[in-house]
Amino acid sequence: MVTCVGRVLKVANINRCIACYSCMLACARVVYKSFSLRKSAVQIRSRGGLQSRLQADICRGCQDAPCAAACPTGALIPRKGGGVACLPAKCNGCRQCVDACIVRVIAFDEEEDRPIVCIQCGTCARFCPHEVLAMVEG
């Protein structure tokens, strides 16, 4: 998986989102080799209420990623520009990264016993037909 070195994922214009889930499907398919929306590092959801506005729960690309700092095995490595790279073979399934994420966007894949964490690859942004997501300089 190629990452966009020095670039991080941002929500460019949430008002354009129609909840087509193309970004989620792309992440799940390309990064996690799954067709399940639950196995996507980006989550599009309704904020509820009568207006039902949408929000994108995404990794913010922290410069000093608390998830990486909490990882006892070095499975999550800070990237230049923000966010983390993931080495699944090093993950021991401790879930400390999930608890350490300050924006609560790291999920845990029970089947694979590893975190579902954004690696800032830009796949979701490339597949978003409405340019809701974008990769920008960190």
Side-chain angles (χ1 to χ4, degrees):
M1 174 58 46
V2 175
T3 59
C4 300
V5 177
R7 301 179 77 191
V8 292
L9 183 64
K10 296 290 180 194
V11 178
N13 192 348
I14 194 65
N15 294 329
R16 292 182 179 178
C17 185
I18 62 168
C20 68
Y21 304 124
S22 293
C23 57
M24 293 172 61
L25 288 167
C27 177
R29 240 181 13 253
V30 174
V31 180
Y32 291 98
K33 310 297 184 236
S34 173
F35 290 103
S36 171
L37 292 176
R38 291 179 164 241
K39 293 191 181 186
S40 171
V42 60
Q43 294 289 312
I44 303 297
R45 63 183 181 90
S46 168
R47 293 191 309 191
L50 295 175
Q51 302 249 343
S52 269
R53 296 185 185 229
L54 298 169
Q55 75 181 42
D57 292 336
I58 63 168
C59 174
R60 300 301 192 259
C62 301
Q63 289 294 327
D64 296 317
C67 58
C71 181
T73 63
L76 298 180
I77 302 166
R79 296 176 56 250
K80 179 182 176 184
V84 295
C86 184
L87 304 172
K90 284 189 164 189
C91 181
N92 68 1
C94 71
R95 302 172 195 227
Q96 290 184 35
C97 58
V98 175
D99 295 334
C101 178
I102 59 174
V103 290
R104 301 285 179 231
V105 294
I106 299 177
F108 196 80
D109 184 340
E110 299 291 341
E111 294 170 354
E112 299 289 326
D113 199 33
R114 66 178 176 152
I116 299 171
V117 60
C118 179
I119 58 170
Q120 305 293 331
C121 66
T123 297
C124 57
R126 284 193 314 274
F127 280 86
C128 178
H130 300 286
E131 299 177 339
V132 173
L133 304 173
M135 294 299 291
V136 298
E137 291 302 318

